Amino acid sequence: MDASVKSHFTGAEAPAPTRAAVFWRPTAKSGLVSWLTTVDHKRIGFLYGVFALFFFLVGGVEALLIRIQLAVPNNDFMSAQLYNELFTMHATTMIFLAVMPLSAAFFNYMMPLQIGARDVAFPRLNAFSLWTFVAGAIVINLGWFMPDGAPDAGWFGYAPLTSKQFSPDHSIDTWVMGLQLLGVASIAASLNFIVTIINLRAPGMTMMRLPVFTWMTLVTAFLIVLSFPAITIALVELMMDRLFGTSFFEVSNGGMPILWQHLFWIFGHPEVYILILPAMGIISEILPTFSRKPLFGYPIVVFSGATIGFLGFAVWSHLMFTTGMGTVATAAFALATMAIAVPTGVKIFNWIGTLWGGHLMMRTPMMFALGFVWMFMMGGFSGIMHSAAPADAQQQDSYFVVAHFHYVLIGGSIFALLAGIHYWFPLMFGRKVSEFWGKLSFWVIFIGFNVTFFPMHFLGLNGMPRRTFTYDGNLGWNAPNFIATVGAMILGLGIFVYFVVMVYTYFKGEKVKRDYWDGRTLEWSLPNPPPEYNFAVIPTVHARDAWWYEKHHREEIAREKAAHAKEDAAHGGIHMPFQSIYPFVTSVGILIGAVGVCAVDYGHKLPVVIAGGVIMLIGIYLWAMEGNEGYHIQPNEEDLKS
Amino acid sequence: MRLTSLPPSFARWGRAALALCGLAVLPGCDFNFWRMDGHQTTMVTAGPVAKSQLDVFYVTVWVTFIIFILVGAVLAYATIKFKAKTEADEHAEPPEQSHGNPLIELGLIGASILALVVIAVPTLKAIWYTYDVPEELRENAYEVTATGYQWWFKFEYPNEQIDGAGTLVTGNELVIPAGRPVRVNLRTVDVIHSFWVPKLAGKVDMIPNRGNHLWLQADEPGYFWGQCAEFCGESHAVMRFRVIALSEEDFAEWLAAQKAPARTVAPAVAQAGALPQAQFASFRRNEYGFTDKWDANAAVPPLEHWRQQQFPAKDEDAALIAEGRRLFVEKTCAGCHAIRGHEGMGITGPDLTHIGSRTTIAAGLLENNREQMARWLKHPEVVKPGNLMYTTGYVANNVQLNDAEVNALVAYLESLK
C-alpha cells in the first residue's frame, strides 16, 4: 500500500515522494491538456457523447445518401461500389460509433452519480477506453481517405467475401482492426463499470435499490464482456487468414465460412441487447420521473432485463434461419426467440403500469419516452414475426427486416438516447432546452421516422432484398421507396433541428435550478453541473428512489450527512485521483500499430507496427509505474447544502 | 397514379397535394403498394411451400395485431387519462407511490406465453414441412442443382444426361415441371449467395463447403421472378434469375430441345464482304433493361413471352450469324462459355447453348433482345460492375468490340434457340 493511499485512511500527511520527471502528473483543469489527461468520469462521458454524436451525424449522412440512390428505380446517383461502402459503413458507424458510445456516455456520466460514487473504480482505465474507442473509430473510417476505399462487405462481414481472394485491398483490414480496437475499448470500459457497480455503491445502496438504468448498465457490461471475445476471436482468425495465409475461413483449404456466422452472431445477437438495454434503462428512469410515481414492478423489470441478457446468448442462430441448419436447430432457436418476447413484453406492461395513476408531465423527454414505447412495441411485434422461422425464410434479408430493426434501433435505442439527452441536459449543463423546440423536433423526428420505415414493411413483403444498390421499376417497389426517401429527409431535418437546439441551449439556454424535473434518483441531488467530486458528502441510501426518499425525510438524512462529512474531514478532505496522460499515450501507440497492420503496404508495415507497439508499451509501463496516487480537496460550502 | 376509386374531387385534391410534395415526378407510379402483388411478392403465393410460410406469417400478424390493439389501447388511455392538464396539476401533491401488483404481472406473463404458443405450434409444423420434400411426395419429386457464381446462377439437371456431353446445364432461367415437387440442391463456387423465388418458396443460402437444399413446387405453369438474397459483392443487386414452370408435356418438349446441340443456321464459313453497319442505342448506366411488356400490368402474361422466345427470329441473316460464330472464338468468348455442338468450351461462365431461347440475359437483368444484348456485350462493366466477363475476359484478353462485331455476335447468340 503506498503512502498516499495510507493517508486516505489515517488522515496523516504523506511524505512527499521523490519522483522522476516522467512521472509528472498533469494538473490542468482547463484547456486541451486537461481533456487529454482527464480521469473524471463526467468529462470522459461528455467526450464519449461528443464523439458519438459526431459519428451519429456521419452515419446519418451516409443513410441519406443511400436513400437518395434508392429514391427512384435504376438510379445512377452513385456507383455500386460506393453504395456497398455506404451501407457497410452506415451500419458499422451507427452500431459501434454512435449508439454504443452514446450509451457509454450515459454509463460514464450517470451511473456513478446514481450509485452515489465519486468516480468509476479505475479512472485511468476509463480514459484509456475512451481514447482507444477514438482510435478504433479513426481506423474504421480510414478507408474514406485511402485509394482502396471504405469497407464494403457489410457490417456482418460474411466469410468468404472478406477473404483476400474476394476483397484483396486494405478496406477489409481497416474494418477488422477498427473493430478489434473497439472491442478492447468496450471490454475495458465494461469491466470498469462492473467493478464500480459492485464495489462503489454508497452505503445502503443495495442491489435491489439500484436505479434501473444502473442495473441495465450492469447487465449490458456483462453482455459486452461475454460477447465481445467471440467476435474478437473471429476477427483475429480473419486477420490471420488475410495477413498470414491461415485457413479458418479459406474454402479451398477446407475452412468453414459458416463458422464465421456462428462466431459473429453469438456476439451479434447479444450486441442487439447491448444496444437496447441501456435504452430501456433510460426509459425506466424517465417514465417514473415524469409520472411522479415509482416504476411499476421494479423487481420484475430488473429480472426481465437480466433474463433478456441471458436469453440473448441463446438465440443467435435466429439470424441464420436460412443457412440450412436443419429442423431441430431451427425449431430450438425459433422457440428460444419467442421466449425472449416474454421478458420484453413484461417491460412494456410495467411501463404502462408506471403511467397508470400518475401525474404525467408531458415534457420533451416524456414525449420521446412515450414515442419509444410505441415504436419499440411495433419493432417488437415484427420481431415476433421473424421468430416464426418459416415466415422468416421469406423476410430474412428483405426490407421487412430493415424496417424491423430500424423500429427497434431508431424507434427504440435512438429515441431513448435522445430522450436521455433532454432528460439529463439540465443536470449536465445547468440549462434547459426550450419545450417548444424540443417538442417540435420530436414530432418532426417521429413523423419522418415512420414515413421512412413503415413503407419498408411493404417493400420487404413485396420481395425487395436488402443491400441492393438498384432495383427495377416493374416490381411495385417504386412508391414505397420514394416515400421512404422523402421520410428520410424529414427525419434528417428533425435530427438537424434537434442538434441545433441542443448546441444553442448549451451556450444560450435558460439556466435552471437544481433538481429541475423533481427527480427520484441520486444524480438529481447534485448541483448542476455537478462538481468534480460529485458528492460533497457521500449519501446514505434508505430506499429505492433514494433522492425522492431524501426529499421527504430531510432531518434523518441531514444527521447522517453531518457524520459522513466529519469522516471525510478527518481524512483531509475528499480524495481525488491524479490526472494522467499515459492512457492517452497508450491509445496513440495502439492507433499507430493498428494503422500499420491494416492500412500500410507490405514493406513498410513492420516499422510502423513496431513503432506503435513501442509507444504502447512505454505508455503502459509508465502508467503502471506512476502509481494510483491522488490528492485531497475540500468540498465547496454551497455544495454541502442539498 | 391510381386514385380512380375515390370521388373525383378527392382525387383532384389528392393529386394536387401529392404534386406539392414532389411526388408528381413519378408519373405512372402505382401508389397502391399495400396490395403487395408485384412479380416478386411473398404475399401472393404459387406453391405449397410459400403458402405454408405465408400461413404462418398470417398467424403472427393476427396474434401481434390483437396484442397491439389491446396494449396500444391501454397505453393510449393511460396517456390521455393521467396527463397533467395544467401547470398547477404538475406541481400538485404527487400520486400514491405504489410499487406494482404481482398478480397482474404474473397474469400478463401467462397471457403472453399463451399467445406465443398460438404462434409456436404452426411454426413448428411448418419448419418440418418446408425443410424437405414430404415423404409421400418424394417419388414424384424432380431434382435440380442450382449453383451460385458472382453474379449469376447455374442450373443443372442431374436426371437429364446427354450422350457424350454429361449433365444438362443451363443458366439464370430455371425451367421446372409444374405440379411436381422440385428439390433444389444449393451450391456455390465462390462466396455465399441465397436462392429466393418469393412466390414459390422462402430463401435458403448457398454456402461454400455446405450441401444445402430446399424444395418448392409451382402448382400451375407460370413465370416467376427470383433474386440473390445474400450480399455477395459489388453486383449483388443485379444477380437475378427466373423460374419457368411448364406443364408436363411442355416440359418434356423443352427438355428435348435443350438436350439437342446448338442450332446451326448457316455453313460455318464466314461470307466474304463487308458486314452490315449497325447502330445501337446508347444507354445510361443502370438504365432499365426491359420493354413495357414486362410490366406487372402488361396484357400478355410473361409465360407467353417466354414461349415466343423459343422460336427463331424471322429476319435471321445467315452470313451475319456465321460471322458472329467466328468472332465468338476470335474474341475468346469460347474460353469461358460452352456452346454444345459449336466451338464454345468454357465452363466458368454461363452455358450459352440455347441462350436465344431465354427471356433474359446478364442474370435476369436485361431483356433478351438485340438492343440489350448489344448493350451487354459493349459495356458489361457498366451493366454489371465488377463482373468477371469484363475483368478476366475483356480486360485480361484485351478484347475490343466495334459496333459491327457486336452486331454479328448479337445475331449469333440470338440464333441459339
XYZ file of all heavy atoms in Angstrom, chain A residues 322 396-397, chain B residues 153 186 192-196 202-206 227-232 236 239 241:
203
model
N -31.864 -19.132 -42.522
C -31.825 -19.518 -43.933
C -30.514 -20.201 -44.309
O -30.236 -20.393 -45.482
C -32.002 -18.288 -44.838
O -30.902 -17.409 -44.614
C -33.283 -17.576 -44.548
N -36.187 -12.766 -44.167
C -34.744 -12.639 -43.987
C -34.118 -11.899 -45.169
O -34.414 -12.202 -46.318
C -34.159 -14.054 -43.887
C -32.669 -14.134 -44.019
C -31.981 -13.984 -42.691
O -32.565 -14.287 -41.667
N -30.769 -13.520 -42.689
N -33.240 -10.952 -44.865
C -32.534 -10.212 -45.908
C -33.458 -9.476 -46.872
O -33.095 -9.202 -48.000
C -31.584 -11.124 -46.692
C -30.258 -11.284 -45.952
O -29.798 -10.298 -45.374
O -29.711 -12.393 -45.952
N -26.498 -17.474 -61.808
C -26.839 -18.805 -61.311
C -26.667 -19.843 -62.415
O -27.081 -19.633 -63.555
C -28.298 -18.852 -60.851
C -28.560 -18.074 -59.600
C -28.956 -16.745 -59.661
C -28.431 -18.667 -58.349
C -29.208 -16.020 -58.505
C -28.688 -17.948 -57.192
C -29.074 -16.627 -57.271
N -28.425 -26.733 -53.388
C -27.863 -25.384 -53.446
C -26.360 -25.434 -53.219
O -25.901 -25.910 -52.182
C -28.536 -24.497 -52.404
C -30.052 -24.392 -52.568
C -30.676 -23.701 -51.367
C -30.403 -23.651 -53.843
N -20.965 -16.607 -50.440
C -22.312 -17.042 -50.074
C -23.341 -16.318 -50.937
O -23.277 -15.098 -51.097
C -22.568 -16.762 -48.582
C -21.573 -17.530 -47.723
C -24.003 -17.127 -48.208
C -21.684 -17.228 -46.251
N -24.254 -17.064 -51.514
C -25.394 -16.494 -52.217
C -26.660 -17.055 -51.566
O -26.586 -17.888 -50.668
C -25.359 -16.866 -53.700
C -24.113 -16.442 -54.401
N -23.914 -15.164 -54.863
C -22.977 -17.126 -54.707
C -22.718 -15.083 -55.432
N -22.131 -16.251 -55.354
N -27.809 -16.589 -52.030
C -29.050 -17.128 -51.473
C -30.080 -17.237 -52.583
O -30.245 -16.325 -53.385
C -29.557 -16.229 -50.347
O -30.546 -16.902 -49.616
N -30.768 -18.373 -52.615
C -31.699 -18.699 -53.696
C -33.107 -18.327 -53.234
O -33.614 -18.894 -52.276
C -31.593 -20.194 -53.981
C -32.487 -20.701 -55.074
C -32.026 -20.804 -56.381
C -33.787 -21.103 -54.797
C -32.855 -21.297 -57.388
C -34.617 -21.583 -55.805
C -34.140 -21.678 -57.098
N -33.705 -17.360 -53.918
C -35.010 -16.864 -53.431
C -35.961 -16.618 -54.597
O -35.716 -15.759 -55.435
C -34.803 -15.564 -52.651
C -36.023 -15.097 -51.920
C -37.053 -15.864 -51.456
C -36.349 -13.749 -51.554
N -37.992 -15.101 -50.813
C -37.582 -13.791 -50.863
C -35.721 -12.523 -51.730
C -38.200 -12.644 -50.361
C -36.325 -11.386 -51.229
C -37.557 -11.435 -50.551
N -39.492 -19.586 -49.598
C -38.546 -18.702 -48.923
C -37.128 -19.096 -49.302
O -36.892 -20.141 -49.906
N -36.191 -18.215 -48.905
C -34.818 -18.410 -49.378
C -34.052 -19.421 -48.539
O -34.361 -19.647 -47.360
C -34.088 -17.073 -49.343
C -33.970 -16.487 -47.946
C -33.517 -15.051 -47.975
C -34.570 -14.071 -48.423
N -35.768 -13.991 -47.580
N -33.056 -20.043 -49.162
C -32.040 -20.807 -48.438
C -30.697 -20.414 -49.034
O -30.580 -20.218 -50.244
C -32.279 -22.328 -48.540
C -31.118 -23.086 -47.914
C -33.584 -22.719 -47.852
N -29.681 -20.285 -48.165
C -28.387 -19.786 -48.610
C -27.586 -20.872 -49.324
O -27.713 -22.055 -49.015
C -27.567 -19.276 -47.412
C -28.254 -18.121 -46.719
O -29.207 -17.569 -47.312
O -27.854 -17.781 -45.598
N -26.727 -20.418 -50.245
C -25.749 -21.294 -50.884
C -24.426 -20.987 -50.221
O -23.875 -19.899 -50.388
C -25.677 -20.972 -52.372
C -27.019 -21.077 -53.060
S -26.978 -20.142 -54.592
C -27.911 -21.242 -55.647
N -34.224 -13.742 -57.073
C -33.083 -12.841 -56.889
C -32.188 -13.397 -55.797
O -32.663 -14.035 -54.856
C -33.619 -11.457 -56.499
C -32.566 -10.391 -56.429
C -33.163 -8.990 -56.512
O -34.380 -8.826 -56.612
N -32.305 -7.997 -56.454
N -30.884 -13.130 -55.919
C -29.970 -13.493 -54.834
C -30.303 -12.635 -53.615
O -30.473 -11.433 -53.726
C -28.522 -13.268 -55.230
S -27.378 -13.542 -53.861
N -30.395 -13.273 -52.452
C -30.829 -12.544 -51.264
C -29.739 -12.445 -50.197
O -30.012 -12.033 -49.087
C -32.070 -13.197 -50.663
N -28.521 -12.834 -50.509
C -27.443 -12.633 -49.531
C -26.370 -11.786 -50.188
O -25.950 -12.083 -51.307
C -26.865 -13.973 -49.080
C -25.795 -13.845 -48.007
C -26.310 -13.201 -46.728
O -26.908 -13.903 -45.892
O -26.136 -11.983 -46.597
N -25.953 -10.742 -49.487
C -24.976 -9.827 -50.071
C -23.739 -10.609 -50.510
O -23.125 -11.310 -49.719
C -24.590 -8.742 -49.080
C -23.597 -7.776 -49.657
C -23.958 -6.960 -50.705
C -22.305 -7.698 -49.171
C -23.036 -6.077 -51.262
C -21.389 -6.823 -49.716
C -21.762 -6.012 -50.770
N -23.386 -10.489 -51.811
C -22.332 -11.339 -52.353
C -21.315 -10.526 -53.128
O -20.615 -11.054 -53.976
C -22.942 -12.425 -53.231
S -23.990 -11.776 -54.545
N -24.185 -7.595 -56.295
C -25.229 -8.406 -55.660
C -26.630 -7.994 -56.106
O -27.494 -8.830 -56.364
C -25.091 -8.275 -54.143
C -26.310 -8.641 -53.377
N -26.847 -9.913 -53.410
C -27.121 -7.921 -52.564
C -27.926 -9.950 -52.644
N -28.116 -8.760 -52.129
N -27.951 -9.612 -59.368
C -27.840 -11.067 -59.534
C -29.245 -11.644 -59.412
O -29.732 -11.911 -58.324
C -26.921 -11.640 -58.458
C -26.741 -13.147 -58.560
S -25.522 -13.691 -57.385
C -25.718 -15.462 -57.503
N -32.648 -14.006 -61.315
C -32.931 -15.167 -62.156
C -34.433 -15.323 -62.308
O -35.217 -14.555 -61.743
C -32.274 -16.434 -61.603
C -32.814 -16.908 -60.275
C -33.649 -18.022 -60.202
C -32.470 -16.270 -59.104
C -34.137 -18.464 -58.973
C -32.955 -16.702 -57.874
C -33.784 -17.809 -57.814
